[in-house]
């Protein structure tokens, strides 16, 4: 069946509430302004009203309460709304949730899921446009899920809510909410921690996650159509855990890599993938890798300025052509 | 900046805000700028009364609902409108848009669009005022700010360090009957009264009716003077009733632009708007009162309104004519240049 990303989120929450009576929802947004998904979520919110907690604008305490409840035997999903607002909750997410299992020598677990609607969503300006995955990738103990399609949104959120034993940040993207995908009811999920080959190809690998997945797929199509290249798209699905093996295998096959990432260029997800390729995949590379990421500046309001910084399919194509047309002279290691 | 207690200036200041916001709504409906925005219609008397008490050494902090605060502080509507449209002629050259609009030269150094985000900043500016021996701070914020820890922490400092800051909580969702009685908090805050909270931190508080321009003028006159002379914080809750056009997710003009005739016998044909105007519109209620008292004639008000409309039409033209910034602008101002004069 065809579902949208937001519908996947709504279905995962509804089904999880029904499946596990320990699950608490702190807040009730989760699907942004997607009205179809809100309608889909509505019956569950009514049916399980006693497990849905009214949320004041108190992100720090909401996050902490989710962690505390999870440590004490519940499971919790905390709606942190716009991705940038997780900074209000950082002390609890980063310095409490992430550390609790380790600090307690394995005694305590905190199966809590923080839901964030992150990313450059158009006109969010500097304070509502953060992509938070790279920062959170620097926090051992957290799982950071960055689904790029409706199927994964459904499966991975459901996994986080019902099965995960660890604190998880589930990152949606405002511009992904309406993206549709095929969901086979009852089909097993590709495990969390495995990247997904969204499209097979021979000449180049585009490594993408979250919003850059559909953009990479679009770029791959035009590279094939307009330039005759066969392009593979790897959807990372999660930043932590990070499936380095699938990335390396793909690049071993294609010999060339473009990394499309909406984080800032420096210290971003793309930087980590590039470092992995440099350390473990240099022998496969026929050309230097290329990061197509957001320049290291805050996100401005003005539409043409935001467009200047946005990772589009066109910019991915341009990066790909650079990689495809270069590199035959690159010195191969002996 | 307006002359205090001059009815004509007070009316003009409120009309300018209302007419500006209406143009903003029209531009958004026309697709001239993307994204969310918030208007100050129905709260005009608050910013006008507060900013009438301020001089050039003073600071103002605001939030996403900043247009009224900035206009009352003396910002130029054409540059504001250009900023809202993301144009090069805006105060931040299009980088802030509506959400973070600020005018440093008017003592508005930064505008946070995070709930409670500006309160610690405002407190720090008050610390600077205290150190420098001049100026006070007025910090405007909504009722939800009291749900954020940052708000408490800022008030703790302001009280502990004895800082010259006036916290202005614009509580804008109070039913009219409860504005004076004050039995109601609109936020999800389990305090019987918002003012109970700062009081517990030894900050002197009061509440005032946001639809009563005279009461607001008296209140801010007194409180700003106290903050100035005693150098200690005060907290005021301004109780307002939400304008019907602010209920939808995106602001709308119910029954079109506000009409002067509505103050003098005519009525719009939407019941919720008519009720709001009669009970809760600070502009309309003040106009009626001042005209009845002979402080202004209806013709004078008419003339002030025409001037405000013309000014805002000009601001719209300026904004539409202003070019978008060049793409390179995106890379400017990430960090201040070393050696630039501060
Ligand atoms: C830290 C943070 N959390 C959530 C939001 C989303 N948000 C924007 S406005 C708003 C409600 C604000 O209400 P109030 O303070 O009463 O101000 P009003 O808009 O009514 O003037 C919320 C929750 C935000 N901007 N910042
Ligand atoms: Mg409010």
């Amino acid at each position: 069946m065809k579902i949208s990303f937001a519908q996947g989120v709504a279905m995962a929450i509804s089904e999880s509430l029904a499946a596990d009576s320990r699950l608490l929802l702190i807040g009730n947004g989760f699907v942004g302004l997607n009205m179809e998904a809100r309608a889909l979520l509505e019956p569950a919110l009514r049916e399980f009203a006693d497990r849905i907690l009214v949320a004041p604008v108190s992100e720090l305490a909401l996050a902490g309460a989710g962690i505390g409840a999870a440590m004490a035997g519940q499971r919790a999903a905390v709606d942190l709304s716009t991705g940038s607002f997780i900074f209000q909750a950082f002390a609890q997410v980063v310095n409490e949730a992430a550390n609790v299992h380790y600090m307690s020598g394995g005694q305590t677990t905190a199966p809590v899921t923080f839901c964030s609607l992150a990313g450059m969503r158009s006109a969010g300006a500097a304070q509502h446009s953060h992509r938070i995955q790279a920062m959170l990738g620097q926090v051992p103990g957290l799982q950071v899920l960055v689904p790029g399609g409706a199927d994964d949104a459904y499966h991975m959120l459901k996994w986080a809510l019902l099965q995960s034993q660890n604190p998880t940040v589930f990152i949606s993207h405002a511009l992904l909410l309406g993206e549709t995908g095929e969901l086979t009811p009852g089909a097993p999920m590709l495990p969390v921690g495995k990247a997904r080959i969204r499209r097979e190809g021979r000449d180049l690998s585009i490594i993408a996650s979250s919003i850059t997945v559909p953009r990479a797929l679009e770029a791959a199509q035009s590279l094939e159509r307009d330039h005759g290249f066969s392009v593979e798209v790897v959807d990372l699905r999660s930043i932590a855990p990070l499936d380095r093996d699938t990335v390396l295998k793909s690049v071993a096959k294609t010999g060339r890599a473009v990394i499309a990432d909406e984080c800032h260029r420096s210290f971003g997800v793309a930087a980590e993938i590039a470092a992995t390729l440099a350390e473990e995949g240099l022998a496969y590379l026929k050309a230097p890798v290329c990061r197509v990421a957001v320049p290291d500046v805050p996100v401005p309001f003005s539409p043409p300025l935001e467009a200047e910084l946005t990772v589009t399919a066109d910019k991915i194509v341009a990066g790909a052509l650079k990689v495809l047309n270069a590199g035959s002279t690159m010195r191969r290691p002996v | 900046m307006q002359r205090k207690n001059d009815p004509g200036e007070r009316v003009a200041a409120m009309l300018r805000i209302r007419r500006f916001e209406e143009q903003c709504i029209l531009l958004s409906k026309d697709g001239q700028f993307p994204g969310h925005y918030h208007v100050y219609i129905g709260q005009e008397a608050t910013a006008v009364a507060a900013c009438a008490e301020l001089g050039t050494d003073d600071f103002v902090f605001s939030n996403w609902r900043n247009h009224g605060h900035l206009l009352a502080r003396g910002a130029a509507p054409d540059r504001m409108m250009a900023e809202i449209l993301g144009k090069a002629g805006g105060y931040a050259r299009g980088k802030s848009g509506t959400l973070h609009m600020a005018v440093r030269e008017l003592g508005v150094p930064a505008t946070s669009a995070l709930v409670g985000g500006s309160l610690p900043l405002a407190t720090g500016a008050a610390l600077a005022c205290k150190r420098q021996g001049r100026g006070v701070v007025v910090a405007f914020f909504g009722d939800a700010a009291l749900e954020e820890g940052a708000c408490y922490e800022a008030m703790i400092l302001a009280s502990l360090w004895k800082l010259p800051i006036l916290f202005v909580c614009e509580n804008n969702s109070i039913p009219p009957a409860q504005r004076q009685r004050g039995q109601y908090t609109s936020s999800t805050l389990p305090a019987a009264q918002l003012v109970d909270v700062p009081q517990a931190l030894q900050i002197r508080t009061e509440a005032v009716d946001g639809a009563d321009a005279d009461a607001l003028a008296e209140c801010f006159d007194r409180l700003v003077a106290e903050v100035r002379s005693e150098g200690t914080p005060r907290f005021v809750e301004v109780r307002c009733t939400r304008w019907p056009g602010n209920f939808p997710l995106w602001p709308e003009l119910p029954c079109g632009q506000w009409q002067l005739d509505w103050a003098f016998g005519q009525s719009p044909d939407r019941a919720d708007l008519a009720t709001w105007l009669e009970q809760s519109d600070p502009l309309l209620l003040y106009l009626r009162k001042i005209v009845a008292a002979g402080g202004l004639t209806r013709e004078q008000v008419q003339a002030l309104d025409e001037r405000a409309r013309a000014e805002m039409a000009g601001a719209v033209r300026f904004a539409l004519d202003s070019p978008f910034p060049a793409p390179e602008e995106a890379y400017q101002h990430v960090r201040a240049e070393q050696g630039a004069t501060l």
Side-chain angles (χ1 to χ4, degrees), chain A residues 64-141:
Chain A
I67 303 163
M71 293 193 302
Q74 303 286 139
R75 300 182 68 87
V78 184
D79 174 23
L80 288 177
S81 183
T82 299
S84 301
F85 303 162
I86 203 171
F87 302 137
Q88 258 56 16
F90 238 40
Q92 294 286 319
V93 174
V94 169
N95 215 0
E96 306 295 348
N99 281 335
V100 70
H101 189 64
Y102 193 81
M103 289 194 305
S104 69
Q107 299 176 79
T108 305
T109 56
V112 53
T113 304
F114 308 105
C115 293
S116 282
L117 197 50
M120 292 169 64
R121 65 192 197 187
S122 157
Q127 287 186 324
H128 287 73
S129 302
H130 289 93
R131 291 76 62 220
I132 54 179
Q133 49 267 47
M135 289 185 220
L136 294 167
Q138 278 264 323
V139 184

Side-chain angles (χ1 to χ4, degrees), chain A:
Chain A
M1 71 197 231
K2 216 180 181 83
I3 60 161
S4 72
F5 189 104
Q7 284 170 329
V9 170
M11 284 164 59
I13 293 173
S14 302
E15 293 174 19
S16 300
L17 279 169
D20 190 339
S21 64
R22 291 174 301 175
L23 179 63
L24 305 174
L25 291 198
I26 299 182
N28 62 11
F30 296 101
V31 289
L33 300 178
N34 189 296
M35 292 305 159
E36 247 177 295
R38 279 196 181 191
L40 200 61
L41 194 52
E42 201 46 49
L45 295 182
R46 264 200 314 275
E47 184 178 352
F48 305 107
D50 60 325
R51 286 192 272 137
I52 321 286
L53 290 120
V54 176
V57 194
S58 311
E59 292 87 357
L60 182 76
L62 298 176
I67 303 163
M71 293 193 302
Q74 303 286 139
R75 300 182 68 87
V78 184
D79 174 23
L80 288 177
S81 183
T82 299
S84 301
F85 303 162
I86 203 171
F87 302 137
Q88 258 56 16
F90 238 40
Q92 294 286 319
V93 174
V94 169
N95 215 0
E96 306 295 348
N99 281 335
V100 70
H101 189 64
Y102 193 81
M103 289 194 305
S104 69
Q107 299 176 79
T108 305
T109 56
V112 53
T113 304
F114 308 105
C115 293
S116 282
L117 197 50
M120 292 169 64
R121 65 192 197 187
S122 157
Q127 287 186 324
H128 287 73
S129 302
H130 289 93
R131 291 76 62 220
I132 54 179
Q133 49 267 47
M135 289 185 220
L136 294 167
Q138 278 264 323
V139 184
L142 289 182
Q143 295 169 147
V144 184
L145 311 186
V146 285
D151 47 353
D152 277 338
Y154 167 78
H155 282 298
M156 293 172 81
L157 181 55
K158 207 170 160 187
W159 173 84
L161 296 178
L162 294 178
Q163 283 168 22
S164 166
Q165 283 309 314
N166 290 291
T168 302
V169 186
F170 178 85
I171 301 179
S172 315
H173 192 294
L175 303 185
L176 269 180
L177 289 178
E179 289 277 324
T180 54
E182 210 38 60
L183 183 76
T184 316
M189 171 185 69
L190 181 65
V192 169
K194 285 263 171 259
R196 187 191 287 282
I197 305 297
R198 287 265 170 200
R199 183 186 204 275
E200 300 212 25
R202 294 179 311 274
D203 300 325
L204 169 82
S205 304
I206 305 179
I207 294 113
S209 56
S210 185
I211 188 66
T212 61
V213 171
R215 292 175 188 168
L217 288 168
E218 193 187 329
Q221 264 172 22
S222 65
L223 284 163
E224 180 166 312
R225 187 186 56 230
D226 303 338
H227 303 278
F229 289 113
S230 160
V231 176
E232 181 147 306
V233 174
V234 181
D235 174 357
L236 291 173
R237 297 171 75 241
S238 63
I239 296 309
L242 182 63
D243 183 1
R244 292 184 167 84
D245 286 349
T246 299
V247 172
L248 287 164
K249 264 189 213 129
S250 174
V251 176
K253 178 171 73 171
T254 62
R256 297 172 199 263
V258 165
I259 312 143
D261 177 29
E262 211 190 48
C263 293
H264 290 298
R265 181 177 168 82
S266 302
F267 310 100
V269 172
E272 179 61 27
I273 298 294
T276 300
L277 291 172
E279 279 185 343
E280 298 174 50
L282 199 61
Y284 312 137
L285 289 173
K286 298 177 194 150
V289 303
C290 173
R291 285 179 281 170
V292 184
V294 176
D296 296 339
V297 309
V299 176
F301 165 77
S302 184
L305 300 188
E306 184 174 358
E308 167 70 17
L309 306 180
T310 305
V311 176
T312 57
D314 283 348
K315 287 182 194 161
I316 300 171
V317 168
L321 290 176
K322 206 171 81 183
V323 172
L324 285 158
N325 294 327
S328 41
T329 56
M330 187 159 152
R331 195 163 54 83
R332 301 299 295 269
V334 282

Side-chain angles (χ1 to χ4, degrees), chain B:
Chain B
M1 269 165 244
Q2 12 149 14
R3 250 177 307 136
K4 268 171 71 172
N5 300 326
D6 180 299
E9 298 220 357
R10 192 186 289 170
V11 166
M14 289 198 275
L15 280 167
R16 289 175 75 241
I17 297 172
R18 183 147 311 181
R19 296 310 188 193
F20 180 92
E21 296 292 43
E22 289 176 344
Q23 291 303 327
C24 187
I25 294 172
L26 294 170
L27 287 169
S28 162
K29 300 272 178 239
D30 193 33
Q32 295 294 340
F33 68 98
H36 224 242
Y37 67 105
H38 306 263
V39 297
Y40 199 63
I41 293 177
Q43 297 173 224
E44 294 93 337
T46 306
V48 168
C51 291
E53 304 299 330
L54 301 181
T56 49
D57 288 337
D58 300 325
F59 289 95
V60 168
F61 284 81
S62 179
N63 61 7
W64 51 89
R65 209 176 287 288
N66 57 59
H67 306 171
H69 305 138
L70 285 170
L71 284 168
R73 186 68 177 137
D78 49 358
R79 294 195 65 192
M80 287 177 57
M81 204 62 97
E83 187 57 52
I84 291 167
L85 266 51
K87 297 295 191 72
Y91 277 110
R93 309 189 199 185
K95 281 177 176 142
S96 83
T98 170
L99 284 177
H100 312 300
M101 205 151 38
V103 187
R104 178 65 185 85
E105 65 187 16
L106 296 174
V108 190
T111 296
S112 173
L114 296 163
V115 174
S118 74
L119 286 166
L121 312 178
T123 302
L127 175 62
C129 289
K130 181 174 177 164
R131 294 291 309 164
Q132 293 162 16
R134 58 167 193 271
V136 299
V137 174
V138 170
F140 294 103
F141 51 95
D143 40 298
L146 272 79
E147 297 165 19
E148 288 282 2
C151 177
Y152 294 88
E153 298 181 23
M155 291 195 297
I156 290 168
L157 297 187
S159 182
L160 193 67
W161 294 345
K162 300 196 175 22
L163 300 180
I165 178 168
L166 177 60
F167 294 106
V168 183
C169 178
E170 297 189 68
N171 191 352
N172 55 3
S173 342
I174 300 199
Q178 276 143 339
R179 259 198 331 262
Q180 286 89 5
R181 269 197 296 130
Q183 292 300 310
Y184 186 90
T185 59
S186 71
S187 57
T188 357
L189 191 81
Q193 299 278 324
L194 296 185
V195 293
D196 291 348
V197 176
Q199 241 156 39
L201 300 172
Q202 310 292 333
I203 294 176
R204 283 189 11 220
T205 64
E206 60 189 80
V208 59
D209 182 354
D212 185 340
D214 282 322
L216 286 161
E218 185 281 323
C219 173
F220 282 103
D221 176 54
R222 190 164 34 77
L223 291 181
V224 173
E226 282 175 20
V227 169
R228 228 181 261 293
S229 62
E230 292 170 34
T232 52
R234 296 286 183 280
F235 178 103
V236 58
E237 177 194 0
V238 182
R239 297 183 163 141
C240 304
T241 303
R242 193 163 279 246
W243 171 59
N246 262 341
F247 278 109
L249 198 56
W250 251 251
E252 280 171 15
L253 287 174
C255 306
Q257 292 181 247
W258 182 88
Q259 295 176 25
L260 199 50
D261 289 345
W262 290 343
F264 303 105
Q266 309 273 321
S267 195
D269 53 11
R270 245 182 72 167
D272 60 342
L273 180 62
T275 307
W276 181 83
L277 291 167
E278 287 303 313
Q279 300 180 340
S280 310
D281 180 3
L283 172 59
L284 180 148
L285 296 174
Y286 183 69
L287 283 178
R288 264 192 200 159
K289 191 169 155 187
I290 201 73
V291 169
L296 286 174
T297 65
R298 220 176 128 169
E299 290 65 37
Q300 283 173 316
V301 175
Q302 181 84 40
L304 290 173
D305 189 33
E306 271 157 26
R307 207 187 307 156
R309 285 169 179 260
E311 185 187 10
M312 299 318 157
V316 170
R317 265 195 312 279
F318 175 87
L320 290 173
D321 290 348
S322 176
F324 279 108
E328 303 78 63
E329 180 66 39
Y331 305 94
Q332 300 293 313
H333 309 122
V334 178
R335 291 185 186 81
E337 272 177 45
Q338 284 307 124
T341 42
L342 297 174

